Amino acid sequence: MGDAGLHVAEGLIADTRDALAQERDGSADNAYRVLQRQIQTRMTSTEPFELERPRLLTVAFVIGINGAGKTTTIGKLANYYRNQDKRVVVAAADTYRAAAIDQLRIWCQRAGVDLIAQQQGSDPGAVVYDAIRASQESRKADMVLVDTAGRMHTRQNLMRELQKMRKVANRQVHGAPHEVLLVLDATAGQNALEQARQFTAAAGVTGIVVTKLDGSSKGGAIIGIRDTLGVPVRFAGVGEGLDDLLRFDPAAFAAGLFEQA
């Protein structure tokens, strides 16, 4: 029911059985506790989060397919870090989708952060270049969040465009982009694993933001992503409000898998 997938479920059950045999307590209550602990352990991350390492300017790309909640997530991320006294600039590099820039502008106004944008159809790499230059010079920003065009993982031309944008960022700021956050819809089920696999291969995904966890979906597919690709989950979207973005909590996530829908 949590949509973790057959392979993940079998592995969790096997590990839980082994743990129960060692504890010599095979009661149902203990089985649930051990299983929950197994999930929490798998989802716990020890990798450093580059978005929060001190540096002169941090650059993060936010990517994902259309409809996953990417633009909304950028607005929430901008608000999250502005509330931590970070000076945030958002780059409207989704010049492909009609009204994408206007939608992002509304979110930036809500979050109280600056937006760097050009006209629809402009070169996304040029937007990234302008945003980084402005952040280094007139805006004196700590962080640049780059909105990218929503794309299916099968659209190779858009994937190549993403790689070009990475090169533009890297030429201006050492090590940029420092994080590439993939936004995944919790309701996508097992298709989320294939999205993560393709985006990681093409764009070097470093972290996951799982959205729409406020609905009936429990987002179990991200366990398989963590197991298969080793990519940590960094944030969870739990609503439409500006503050409805939480740092991912493995314990809360594991507990949520066993809550009644």
Side-chain angles (χ1 to χ4, degrees), residues 38 55 104 117 126 150 188 261:
Q38 294 284 345
R55 57 172 64 86
L104 190 61

Side-chain angles (χ1 to χ4, degrees), residues 3-61:
D3 202 17
L6 179 61
H7 177 73
V8 170
E10 287 178 335
L12 285 168
I13 290 169
D15 290 348
T16 299
R17 283 177 174 155
D18 290 343
L20 289 172
Q22 292 177 12
E23 294 184 9
R24 303 188 179 214
D25 179 359
S27 67
D29 286 345
N30 192 46
Y32 274 111
R33 281 193 295 270
V34 171
L35 178 55
Q36 193 168 311
R37 190 171 68 233
Q38 294 284 345
I39 295 169
Q40 180 180 340
T41 298
R42 290 186 183 211
M43 298 306 297
T44 298
S45 170
T46 58
E47 298 96 330
F49 190 24
E50 295 295 334
L51 204 58
E52 296 179 352
R53 282 199 172 188
R55 57 172 64 86
L56 290 176
L57 181 64
T58 297
V59 180
F61 282 18

Side-chain angles (χ1 to χ4, degrees), residues 68-115:
K70 180 175 53 62
T71 302
T72 302
T73 296
I74 289 177
K76 294 176 184 178
L77 276 171
N79 180 68
Y80 179 90
Y81 284 108
R82 186 187 66 81
N83 287 337
Q84 295 185 21
D85 296 325
K86 298 291 187 183
R87 290 165 296 180
V88 181
V89 166
V90 174
D94 180 358
T95 60
Y96 184 77
R97 180 172 63 91
I101 298 171
D102 291 337
Q103 182 186 2
L104 190 61
R105 181 174 287 110
I106 292 170
W107 277 102
C108 287
Q109 289 170 350
R110 290 175 182 169
V113 301
D114 290 338
L115 176 70

